[in-house]
Every structure is written in C-alpha cells, then in structure tokens.
Amino acid sequence: MMFRNVAIIGCGQTKHSSKRRDVSLPEMIEEAAWRAMEDAQVTPEEIDAIVVGNMQGFGGVAQPDQWIGDWIGAPGKPVMRIATGGTTGGSVGQGAIYAVASGMYDKVLAVAWEKHSDSKEPGATTGLLHVALANFFHAFNYGMNLKSLVATTVVGAAAGVAVYQAMFYMHRSGCRIEHFDMVAAKSRRNAAKNKYAHLQWPGCTPEDIAKTEMVAYPFRFGHICPASDGASAIVVAAEDIAKKKEDKAWVKGLASYSDEENQLMSESYGGVGILDASEQMGCRVSAMKAYRMAGITDPKREIDVAEIYQPFPSQELIFAERLGLFDEGKAWVALEEGEMEIDGRMPTDPSGGVLATNAIGSSALQRILEAALQVMGKAEEHQVPKEVRNAVAHGWGGVTNYTTVTVLGDSPR
Amino acid sequence: MLHLEREGIVRVKGLPFVARFKWSTGFLMERFIKSLAEKKLLGAKCPSCGYTYVPPRSRCGKCLTKLGEKNLVELSGRGVLVGYTTAYVGLDGEGNFVDLEKPRVIGAIKLEGADSTIFMPIGEIDPEGVREGMEVEPKWREATRGELADIEYFKPSR
Ligand SMILES: [Zn+2]
C-alpha cells in the first residue's frame, strides 16, 4: 500500500477524576495537548494540523473544536473534528495517523477528551439523552414505542448492551462472574500504579469487588467504569522526523470497522441481525487487517501487551480473544493463570484501562497513548516488566458498532 | 462504603432524563465574574505580546503564552463603541418573533486598555443618535452580586 511510515513521538494526558471544576473545557484540553507537544519536543508552530474529538453531545458544547482552538495552537491550521461515539479517541488517533501517512502533513496533534462534570445531571445523562434519542428513533422505525424499548432492551446505554454481551459470553465460554471480579480488581490495582488514572485501589482483590452490590446481572457496582473528566493527546510524525527522536512508537498497522451488526437493536428489530452480542466480529476483522499490515502472523506470540477498551470486565475477556491474544472462549482461563496481569505473559490494560478511567471521547485515544508508552518504555510504574516489541490498542463504541485496532511497535513497518 | 470514599467516587442515585449543564468557567473567568460585585472590570494582559483580553483568559490566543492571575489588569470601564446594530424584532421566550415596543441598540465595545471587544446592550440612547466612536460606560445594577447580569447595559458617557 502506498503510504508513509508514521510514529507517535509524544504523549500527554491529564490526571482523571470525577470533577475538574477548576478548569474550563479548553483549559482542561490544553493540559494534555501541551504535555504531548512538550513530550515530543515540538512547538505549536511546528504542528501542521490538528485532529480533535469527544463524544458527540456530551458536555453540552455542540462545537467544542471552535472553543478550544486558541488554547492548543490551532489558529491558522487545519482542524478536523471526529466523533464516532465511544470509539472517538481511536478514530481521532487514526485520523492523525492517516493525515501523516498520506503525506499531506508531517506533524499532527491528536487531542480527545470528555468533561462529564459540565453536565449538571449525574451519570452523563445529558450526553446519553443525545445519543440515546438517535437509537430510540431507530427503534421507532420498527414500530417500537419508547416505554417497551426501555423496558425490554436498553436498560441504560452501554451498560444495557454490555450485560447481554456478558451473558452471551458466559454462556458460550464457561466464564463466571468471579472472573469479572478478577478483571475489575486487576484494573483497580493497575490503575493504582498509573498516576493519571481515576479509580485507583492498591491491593484490590476479587473479594473486594464481589462485596459490591449487584446492579444488573451479571454486573456488580464494582464492575462498572466511572464517568471521568480528562483529556489525552499524541503527536504523530512522519518517518524522517521520528527517526531523529529518541522516543517513538511506530505505527505498524491499523484498521477500523463500522456496521450495524453489533448494535443490540439489530438483533431484535431488523438490521443485519445477529444472535450473539459478544460475537464482536468487527474487532476480529479489524485485528486481522491491522496484523496483516503490521506483518504479524501470530499475535499470541508477537503481541507483547494490549490496551483494550473495556468499560466492563467482560469486554476485556471478549475483546482479548477477538484480538487473537487468547484462544476462543479461553481468556478467562488465562486470567485465572495470571497471564493478563501486569507481569503476566500477555498483560492486558496495565494502565487500568477504561474500567478505571472513562473520559469517554478520550478513552480510545488513551489506549493508543498507553500502548505507545509501553513501546517507548515510558509507562513508569505500570510499565510491563518485559521487552515490548509490539503493542495493540483497541477502541469500541458508538453505541456498539465501531471498532478501531492500532498496532504499534519498536521498529518501522 | 469505604472503598467509594477511597476511590473518590461520586455515587449516582438515578438518571433524571433532563438535559442541563453547569460549565466550569475556569479560574480567571471566575475572578472576572466575582469582581463585578465590586463594579470592577478585569482583563488579562499578555506579558509577551501585550494583547489584553476582556474577559480574561488563561492562554494568549495571539502568541500562546500561558496567562495567570498575575496578568490580570483592572480596566476603567470606559470604552468606545466600535460597531452597533438596532433590533426592531425580539423573541417572546416561546420561539415567536415579536415587534419590540422600542428599538434596542446592541453594540461592540472596545474598553479602554483592552484589545478585544465585548458585545453589550446600549441603553439611555436614541437609536437615531448612535455613532461609531461614541464613548460609553457601564450602567451597573443597584445591588451587584458578582454575576454577568451586574452590568445592565452600557450607556453614553456624560
Ligand atoms: Zn500574547
């Protein structure tokens, strides 16, 4: 394929928490953007173009790209906003990669964020209203009224989709709720080593998680991601620039996927219709494409660490399999054997992942950023204690039908 | 529960399906709004390029210098009208246009010492008599409370 080699040469993120009331939206975003530019040792003047994004409708700012420009050095430059729901950060990162790989620009800044606390109602209600309404209308097309739709399927946005997905996975794989406790505890422990993460709990055990109350079976309170305020940013550069930098993570392969298949709607109400919500073929197809581009034939052996988009623990297991890192239906067995731990054979989400920190628009860019840190050896306390030659970063969302997979490595393609 | 406190989690008790927002303004904008209680108008003067913003902001949009509390400057409040329009039609609050009883003047004002402009209603003026370059000053409400509404409008300086 005719495109240039590209590397990530700088990473920046904010500390994540429930409320960043001390800063306005652009002030929060610029923290991450300037840290990434400083990390890359480039000035804003040297940046050719900027790709930005957050979850559409969240935070109640319709065109945040127009507000933040002067804070991140955008005046006079192309600014492209991308919004693909929960996958937004992955698409923003890939958008920046496309822009450099195409030869159009040499240095591109990618910035993604969420500021949930600007929503007056808790639980990102204002954002959900925006997103959910579109889905409701979709259901209305099939003659479903709002009340029965909510009663029968939705049960609350992503969590509603994910409970079914988890049940499908448990049924076909033999995975049990105890394994979700293990994943959640691992996420909290890993997050405790990541100074930017939100839900940090050193020494958290599966028993600690098991004590939290049931919300919607099979999810307990401790299984559910938080709503975080925060932002993340990367600087993507062309090969000749990246080669001169000491720290870089090469983009070896990437793919994304979008269709109706994984929308829970399509199961019951039409669309292309699938039966198993945990099938997630978008992730499998994206991974296969990205690995092929990266020259990876055996991901179980060649991938050293994975950053998986997992707002719920079941998803870390499902997507780890779909990314080809474990045998079909066997991720929970590997989990039991400690393989997914930070010092395990195949560490998954050493940063704590989305389960620990969910500034939605930023979450999938954070996976790319965290994978880059692992490749560069700059993840500090949550750096995996082994050589990282290849890392895979995954994004999912929008409501459930977008996937991004990005493979990074220590050498160019 | 103990772990909730440790993790700084804010528990949610439900999902009220209404859409309201409470955007944080940032520290300098908060100072600007609070200072209105003392009938003071604050700006931020960039130490690198000299550009002065009203309301103040934390990053110079011209040269990207970080601005902070030390860059706040107090303005006299006097300004010059640099552009204006006269509105003859308004909204009734329910989405309908209504003819205004009296035309309303709205203007762009460059405050003394500022480089940016603010847009405010212009009161105590005959719409026929508005001219660019007119000197104006704020009409503060009786009891200021540290809110944007503390300035009712700008009026011609006497
Ligand atoms: Zn300046």
Side-chain angles (χ1 to χ4, degrees):
Chain A
M1 275 175 272
M2 291 290 291
F3 55 84
R4 303 196 296 176
N5 264 329
V6 171
I8 294 168
I9 61 165
C11 300
Q13 56 182 315
T14 64
K15 167 68 186 159
H16 293 80
S17 57
S18 290
K19 291 175 190 290
R20 283 295 307 273
R21 303 306 293 164
D22 58 319
V23 282
S24 66
L25 180 75
E27 289 172 346
M28 185 186 78
I29 292 165
E30 74 148 35
E31 280 181 21
W34 284 78
R35 281 175 187 167
M37 289 188 280
E38 281 159 19
D39 189 43
Q41 296 174 307
V42 298
T43 63
E45 291 75 27
E46 292 176 278
I47 297 289
D48 301 319
I50 302 179
V51 185
V52 302
N54 75 315
M55 181 95 173
Q56 52 271 36
F58 277 44
V61 181
Q63 291 184 283
D65 42 316
Q66 297 191 353
W67 188 12
I68 66 175
D70 282 4
W71 268 265
I72 60 172
K77 289 172 189 168
V79 173
M80 292 160 275
R81 182 188 180 205
I82 297 179
T84 53
T87 329
T88 291
S91 305
V92 165
Q94 293 196 342
I97 293 167
Y98 296 154
V100 179
S102 71
M104 192 77 191
Y105 305 111
D106 287 334
K107 291 193 207 75
V108 175
L109 173 70
V111 195
W113 68 89
E114 214 61 72
K115 199 161 185 295
H116 280 112
S117 72
D118 277 357
S119 169
K120 195 174 169 80
E121 321 308 335
T125 316
T126 39
L128 289 178
L129 260 183
H130 179 101
V131 177
L133 275 177
N135 298 336
F136 292 158
F137 290 145
H138 177 72
F140 295 152
N141 288 341
Y142 300 106
M144 195 81 176
N145 71 33
L146 183 67
K147 206 171 165 185
S148 31
L149 175 76
V150 173
T152 54
T153 64
V154 178
V155 206
V161 177
V163 288
Y164 289 100
Q165 193 183 62
M167 290 298 283
F168 278 117
Y169 179 70
M170 291 166 85
H171 180 70
R172 71 170 161 79
S173 74
C175 169
R176 299 185 309 278
I177 191 168
E178 290 76 20
H179 299 105
F180 301 159
D181 298 339
M182 291 169 69
V183 172
K186 174 175 76 69
S187 162
R188 304 296 159 85
R189 288 196 305 273
N190 289 353
K193 296 175 192 288
N194 174 3
K195 64 185 179 193
Y196 298 109
H198 184 174
L199 298 187
Q200 301 171 314
W201 189 348
C204 179
T205 65
E207 292 72 34
D208 290 329
I209 299 292
K211 277 180 211 146
T212 63
E213 73 273 30
M214 190 59 70
V215 175
Y217 193 86
F219 289 155
R220 311 183 201 279
F221 183 77
H223 291 159
I224 298 169
C225 65
S228 315
D229 280 4
S232 57
I234 57 171
V235 177
V236 177
E239 183 166 12
D240 53 329
I241 295 160
K243 273 191 169 153
K244 293 180 196 133
K245 300 282 180 186
E246 198 176 323
D247 298 320
K248 63 248 175 189
W250 294 97
V251 177
K252 297 184 75 170
L254 76 170
S256 61
Y257 182 104
S258 166
D259 77 2
E260 247 184 289
E261 178 191 324
N262 300 324
Q263 283 262 22
L264 198 64
M265 308 293 177
S266 64
E267 283 176 41
S268 318
Y269 309 128
V272 294
I274 51 153
L275 293 179
D276 181 351
S278 69
E279 197 172 45
Q280 295 297 322
M281 286 313 288
C283 183
R284 168 59 54 88
V285 171
S286 302
M288 284 166 62
K289 283 184 182 171
Y291 292 148
R292 192 182 312 133
M293 195 187 288
I296 286 173
T297 52
D298 183 1
K300 286 193 190 71
R301 210 170 41 77
E302 293 175 80
I303 295 292
D304 300 300
V305 57
E307 278 287 339
I308 297 167
Y309 193 102
Q310 31 71 293
F312 309 96
S314 45
Q315 295 179 332
E316 187 166 325
L317 302 171
I318 293 166
F319 290 128
E321 290 173 14
R322 285 293 167 263
L323 291 168
L325 309 177
F326 301 98
D327 286 336
E328 175 76 22
K330 294 287 183 247
W332 62 269
V333 180
L335 175 77
E336 278 185 353
E337 289 166 3
E339 291 191 15
M340 300 170 97
E341 296 291 327
I342 221 167
D343 57 355
R345 186 187 67 80
M346 181 65 75
T348 51
D349 289 295
S351 66
V354 184
L355 197 44
T357 306
N358 196 5
I360 300 183
S362 162
S363 288
L365 183 59
Q366 265 192 303
R367 308 283 67 74
I368 297 175
L369 182 155
E370 289 290 346
L373 291 179
Q374 293 289 347
V375 169
M376 296 184 204
K378 287 168 66 174
E380 300 179 350
E381 224 192 312
H382 65 283
Q383 179 72 37
V384 299
K386 65 172 182 178
E387 189 188 16
V388 178
R389 306 228 32 218
N390 293 305
V392 64
H394 162 251
W396 170 84
V399 164
T400 55
N401 58 341
Y402 285 107
T403 303
T404 55
V405 174
T406 311
V407 181
L408 304 178
D410 66 352
S411 54
R413 231 160 20 101
Chain B
M1 278 183 290
L2 186 63
H3 79 275
L4 298 180
E5 287 165 26
R6 176 171 32 226
E7 295 188 343
I9 295 174
V10 179
R11 278 300 293 260
V12 172
K13 301 282 185 205
L15 290 179
F17 262 47
V18 288
R20 294 180 299 181
F21 299 94
K22 48 166 188 181
W23 297 285
S24 32
T25 59
F27 184 64
L28 293 186
M29 187 64 184
E30 186 175 319
R31 278 290 305 275
F32 173 83
I33 295 169
K34 294 268 164 66
S35 298
L36 296 174
E38 300 153 45
K39 302 188 180 177
K40 278 184 189 169
L41 279 171
L42 297 181
K45 187 179 175 70
C46 175
S48 305
C49 72
Y51 200 91
T52 302
Y53 297 89
V54 182
R57 47 178 287 164
S58 64
R59 174 80 65 180
C60 179
K62 301 288 170 190
C63 74
L64 302 176
T65 298
K66 184 85 184 154
L67 306 177
E69 198 176 9
K70 63 181 185 299
N71 306 111
L72 289 176
V73 290
E74 193 184 329
L75 306 174
S76 68
R78 287 186 301 275
V80 173
L81 197 64
V82 294
Y84 66 89
T85 185
T86 306
Y88 294 87
V89 176
L91 290 164
D92 68 355
E94 289 175 3
N96 306 305
F97 289 117
V98 288
D99 292 330
L100 296 173
E101 275 176 36
K102 278 197 296 187
R104 207 176 284 158
V105 180
I106 304 154
I109 298 157
K110 196 163 172 187
L111 293 167
E112 200 171 74
D115 292 292
S116 61
T117 49
I118 57 171
F119 289 81
M120 291 292 287
I122 310 295
E124 300 178 31
I125 194 164
D126 173 9
E128 300 294 315
V130 189
R131 296 287 178 269
E132 282 99 351
M134 280 182 71
E135 291 188 5
V136 291
E137 63 185 46
K139 163 72 173 67
W140 298 91
R141 71 175 166 195
E142 287 296 314
T144 53
R145 290 199 291 253
E147 300 170 356
L148 290 174
D150 284 344
I151 301 178
E152 289 180 11
Y153 51 81
F154 274 67
K155 59 179 186 177
S157 298
R158 308 275 174 227

